[in-house]
Amino acid sequence: MQQVQKYKNKKAYFQYELNEVLVAGIQLKGTEIKSIRDGKVSFTDAFCQIDNGEMWVKGLHISEYVLGTCNNHDPKRDRKLLLSKREIRQWQRKVNEKGFTIIPVSLFIDENGRAKLEIALARGKKQFDKRESIKKKDIQRDMERQ
């Protein structure tokens, strides 16, 4: 069995309160999957958006493949997420009604060698919530030291 590689969006857990999580396939070009396997992924400023009944991830930076030729991909291009129409409609309703946003939480390669993106329905934290998260993390770290 192949080991699963996983890359996390660490800032998502700090800046957002995650409510619902879903795993989606992601449509990639040939050199993008090779860059993901090399660990060249950055989640800075990445978010998901629904356009014309399709969900897209925007701002996800996958670096160009070092050994790629002139057919290399654009690192910041929009990538389509592979979800069913029913799932997209459900999340569209929640985003419109309650003021949530959809953010990518992690990117991993499954046992079959396919890239999957874990997305979450999230609400932004206030400043005092962030301070509370820092405090909990410090307490946890102190308990582990003892």
Side-chain angles (χ1 to χ4, degrees):
M1 189 162 154
Q2 185 179 359
Q3 184 177 357
V4 177
Q5 296 175 326
K6 194 165 191 173
Y7 308 102
K8 288 189 175 189
N9 184 357
K10 295 175 186 171
K11 289 210 174 201
Y13 295 98
F14 180 68
Q15 293 179 341
Y16 296 96
E17 175 188 327
L18 307 180
N19 290 343
E20 208 175 309
V21 178
L22 183 68
V23 176
I26 184 168
Q27 192 174 21
L28 298 173
K29 292 193 174 179
T31 55
E32 288 176 325
I33 191 70
K34 294 178 181 184
S35 290
I36 290 171
R37 286 191 181 119
D38 286 345
K40 309 289 186 189
V41 180
S42 174
F43 286 97
T44 308
D45 300 330
F47 65 98
C48 297
Q49 190 173 22
I50 300 173
D51 290 329
N52 298 327
E54 295 178 337
M55 192 177 296
W56 297 82
V57 62
K58 299 179 183 237
L60 180 67
H61 187 276
I62 299 175
S63 297
E64 288 185 355
Y65 185 56
V66 178
L67 301 175
T69 60
C70 60
N71 297 327
N72 229 334
H73 65 276
D74 179 27
K76 282 273 195 177
R77 77 176 185 90
D78 299 342
R79 294 166 182 91
K80 185 177 176 181
L81 295 180
L82 306 173
L83 293 167
S84 69
K85 296 280 185 192
R86 191 183 95 251
E87 289 171 331
I88 293 173
R89 279 194 306 261
Q90 285 175 349
W91 280 48
Q92 178 71 48
R93 265 187 256 120
K94 291 176 184 176
V95 167
N96 289 341
E97 287 175 9
K98 302 176 185 173
F100 285 107
T101 188
I102 304 170
I103 57 166
V105 177
S106 67
L107 179 68
F108 62 95
I109 298 176
D110 67 359
E111 328 50 70
N112 299 325
R114 294 186 182 102
K116 301 287 181 175
L117 187 69
E118 197 171 69
I119 57 176
L121 200 59
R123 178 178 283 140
K125 284 185 182 178
K126 304 286 188 228
Q127 186 65 34
F128 62 87
D129 290 334
K130 291 179 185 178
R131 285 193 295 257
E132 191 174 311
S133 296
I134 292 171
K135 195 181 299 180
K136 284 181 184 177
K137 192 187 299 181
D138 288 341
I139 291 169
Q140 183 69 27
R141 192 178 302 130
D142 289 341
M143 289 174 60
E144 287 176 0
R145 285 183 189 159
Q146 296 174 356

